[in-house]
Amino acid sequence: MKKLMAANWKMYKTAGEARTTAASLAVLTADTLPDDREVVIFPQFTALSPVADALRHADGYSVGAQDVYPAAEGAYTGEISPGMLMDCGCTWVLTGHSERRHIIGESDELAGAKTAFSIKAGLNVVLCIGETIDEREAGRLGEVLERQLAAGLAGVKGDAVPAAIAVAYEPVWAIGTGKVAGPPEIVAAHVLVRQLLVARYGQVGSAVRILYGGSVKPENAREIIALDNVDGVLVGGASLQADSFSRIILA
Ligand code: PEP
């Protein structure tokens, strides 16, 4: 199973800036990207085609969108469909990111509808789940992960798994805050996610990649990637500069 090294560029970078960063990344990792790693860049919408173009010849690289709407087309002002994303060169999409859940107010069910529709349309999905600090301190970690995973995967059948799906465990309190979950906290949460996946899909669930996200940096990436049940990372802030993200990719 290849480690999935994912970059969430959030609402940063113009199309031109994103293209330049993607091209620099490809140069910095050319010939050195290990066979057991693959990289996905999630830029904002107007940068999708330029980034896909910049990475066209970069082996091991793919492009994904940060959001999608669960319909092929229609009167959904401001939204974008899986087919439109694939037309821009996307093969991946993020669903359920905590910034969409907590800032935009997206429900567990909408994240699930986006996940199922995208997979049926032919995209690969990184479904993000994770608890807030209040939920963790109230001892509700297991309940939150179980609820978000059940709703997020409600329409995803076992035959689409594991090729098309990865789950990112991202504790909300560690995203963009500089606070990294410690190795015991990461391992405990990933074991829980693994158990939930196996309970849902049987042995197939043991091959679904589980990524960690939350203030991953070049300095801590190697230790995190080596932990049990950590099959990659989802990186925000430290993925914005090619030099920094290349050091994470190669950690
Ligand atoms: C993210 O946006 O998914 C993320 C993990 O951000 P950061 O690495 O900045 O915490």
Side-chain angles (χ1 to χ4, degrees), residues 63-122:
V63 179
Q66 297 171 20
D67 191 27
V68 66
Y69 193 75
E73 62 178 6
Y76 304 106
T77 302
E79 298 296 337
I80 193 160
S81 73
M84 292 163 188
L85 295 177
M86 291 191 277
D87 188 45
C88 294
C90 285
T91 51
W92 286 87
V93 68
L94 285 181
T95 59
H97 192 278
S98 66
E99 286 153 13
R100 295 209 62 83
R101 293 179 190 268
H102 297 288
I103 300 174
I104 313 290
E106 231 174 71
S107 67
D108 295 340
E109 288 68 32
L110 184 54
K114 291 178 176 187
T115 303
F117 196 87
S118 297
I119 289 174
K120 281 195 197 106

Side-chain angles (χ1 to χ4, degrees), residues 8 10 97 99 128 170 174-178 213-216 234-238:
N8 175 15
K10 309 189 191 221
H97 192 278
E99 286 153 13
C128 305
E170 299 205 302
I175 297 183
T177 59
S215 298
V216 175
L234 177 55
V235 188

Side-chain angles (χ1 to χ4, degrees), residues 76-213:
Y76 304 106
T77 302
E79 298 296 337
I80 193 160
S81 73
M84 292 163 188
L85 295 177
M86 291 191 277
D87 188 45
C88 294
C90 285
T91 51
W92 286 87
V93 68
L94 285 181
T95 59
H97 192 278
S98 66
E99 286 153 13
R100 295 209 62 83
R101 293 179 190 268
H102 297 288
I103 300 174
I104 313 290
E106 231 174 71
S107 67
D108 295 340
E109 288 68 32
L110 184 54
K114 291 178 176 187
T115 303
F117 196 87
S118 297
I119 289 174
K120 281 195 197 106
L123 284 168
N124 302 304
V125 175
V126 176
L127 168 66
C128 305
I129 60 173
E131 82 289 4
T132 63
I133 193 65
D134 289 350
E135 289 165 336
R136 171 169 278 269
E137 286 174 353
R140 294 179 52 216
L141 172 68
E143 172 207 317
V144 170
L145 297 187
E146 188 169 0
R147 190 197 73 229
Q148 291 182 348
L149 206 58
L153 297 175
V156 181
K157 299 208 174 69
D159 56 4
V161 176
I165 192 130
V167 174
Y169 168 63
E170 299 205 302
V172 179
W173 47 272
I175 297 183
T177 59
K179 287 184 196 150
V180 192
E185 291 160 323
I186 298 174
V187 169
H190 281 228
V191 165
L192 204 53
V193 175
R194 179 67 70 210
Q195 287 167 347
L196 291 166
L197 288 168
V198 170
R200 185 173 188 87
Y201 295 116
Q203 267 318 99
V204 167
S206 59
V208 174
R209 287 181 287 190
I210 306 174
L211 317 185
Y212 171 75

Side-chain angles (χ1 to χ4, degrees), residues 38-50:
E38 68 173 294
V39 184
V40 188
I41 309 294
F42 292 92
Q44 51 84 357
F45 290 125
T46 69
L48 290 171
S49 293

